[in-house]
Amino acid sequence: MSRIRLVPMLLILLVSLAVFFAGWQVYKRYNLVDPVKTDLQSVSGVQNVDVLVGNPTVIRVKLGPVQDLQTTYDSIAEAVTGSVNAGSTIVIVDNKNKALQQEYENLFPSIMQGVSHGDYKQMITDVEKEATIDGFKSKITMDHHNIYLQLEQGTHYLYDVWNYNPTTTTLQQAQQAQGGATS
């Protein structure tokens, strides 16, 4: 009968775990993080990229001043989709100050009212007019999935991207008009 020695088995277990952990770190660094950073740093307006691997993977993108947030965000999303799993989250980091944050909070109800009523053209007009009156440069654009807001004041800028579903909003409005319930 042979005996299993405890010390050599624990040593083998620890060395194996260390090798597996080191292999995972190398894989993560060279096959996931570095390619995403390289792809994203080639996008115009991107200043810095941090990739936090997890479930979901969080990609923090520091943007400088950009002409069109929608185009920049689409380029970022395309680069991320090609490199990372579909459940990843993109976080846009901007250069806002207190005044921009306050203006954003003031404009937010107008944006949500426009989305809830489905009156997107009026929402864009109202938001841009109100921001201009308050002394801010603004731009709001949309596509089939997102609303993009850019606010600027001097060297500071605030960017925000909201995901929305126009089909659901229209369906909810139709059901409410007919007295139906929504889920």
Side-chain angles (χ1 to χ4, degrees), residues 7 9 25 31 44 48 55 63 72 96 104 111 127 129 163-164 168 183:
V7 172
M9 288 302 291
Q25 293 302 317
N31 288 340
S44 177
N48 188 25
N55 192 12
L63 289 179
T72 302
K96 62 184 166 233
Y104 172 80
I111 295 168
V127 167
K129 181 179 175 184
N163 189 300
Y164 82 104
T168 303
S183 58

Side-chain angles (χ1 to χ4, degrees), residues 4-174:
I4 298 176
R5 293 185 175 168
L6 187 59
V7 172
M9 288 302 291
L10 286 175
L11 186 61
I12 290 170
L13 177 66
L14 288 174
V15 168
S16 297
L17 286 173
V19 167
F20 288 135
F21 181 74
W24 169 247
Q25 293 302 317
V26 168
Y27 169 78
K28 208 168 64 168
R29 173 95 177 151
Y30 294 107
N31 288 340
L32 181 65
V33 174
D34 285 351
V36 169
K37 281 185 172 185
T38 301
D39 289 348
L40 289 177
Q41 288 175 338
S42 68
V43 174
S44 177
V46 172
Q47 292 181 338
N48 188 25
V49 178
D50 289 323
V51 179
L52 307 170
V53 178
N55 192 12
T57 298
V58 176
I59 302 162
R60 294 177 46 90
V61 181
K62 169 86 170 136
L63 289 179
V66 297
Q67 292 291 348
D68 183 20
L69 179 60
Q70 181 176 349
T71 303
T72 302
Y73 189 85
D74 286 346
S75 298
I76 291 168
E78 185 178 317
V80 167
T81 302
S83 302
V84 185
N85 61 0
S88 58
T89 302
I90 300 170
V91 176
I92 301 295
V93 180
D94 51 23
N95 183 27
K96 62 184 166 233
N97 60 13
K98 214 171 196 177
L100 282 170
Q101 184 63 38
Q102 183 62 47
E103 183 66 10
Y104 172 80
E105 291 170 8
N106 292 342
L107 295 174
F108 192 75
S110 298
I111 295 168
M112 289 299 103
Q113 181 178 2
V115 170
S116 69
H117 293 139
D119 193 0
Y120 303 112
K121 289 173 81 173
Q122 188 63 44
M123 171 196 63
I124 292 169
T125 303
D126 290 348
V127 167
E128 289 180 348
K129 181 179 175 184
E130 188 175 337
T132 301
I133 289 170
D134 293 342
F136 296 90
K137 183 178 174 188
S138 69
K139 182 176 181 181
I140 187 166
T141 58
M142 300 175 66
D143 61 17
H144 294 292
H145 306 288
N146 296 314
I147 298 172
Y148 306 89
L149 174 68
Q150 295 175 244
L151 287 174
E152 295 178 25
Q153 183 185 45
T155 59
H156 294 281
Y157 46 91
L158 180 144
Y159 301 138
D160 204 0
V161 178
W162 296 287
N163 189 300
Y164 82 104
N165 186 343
T167 307
T168 303
T169 304
T170 305
L171 176 63
Q172 288 173 346
Q173 289 171 349

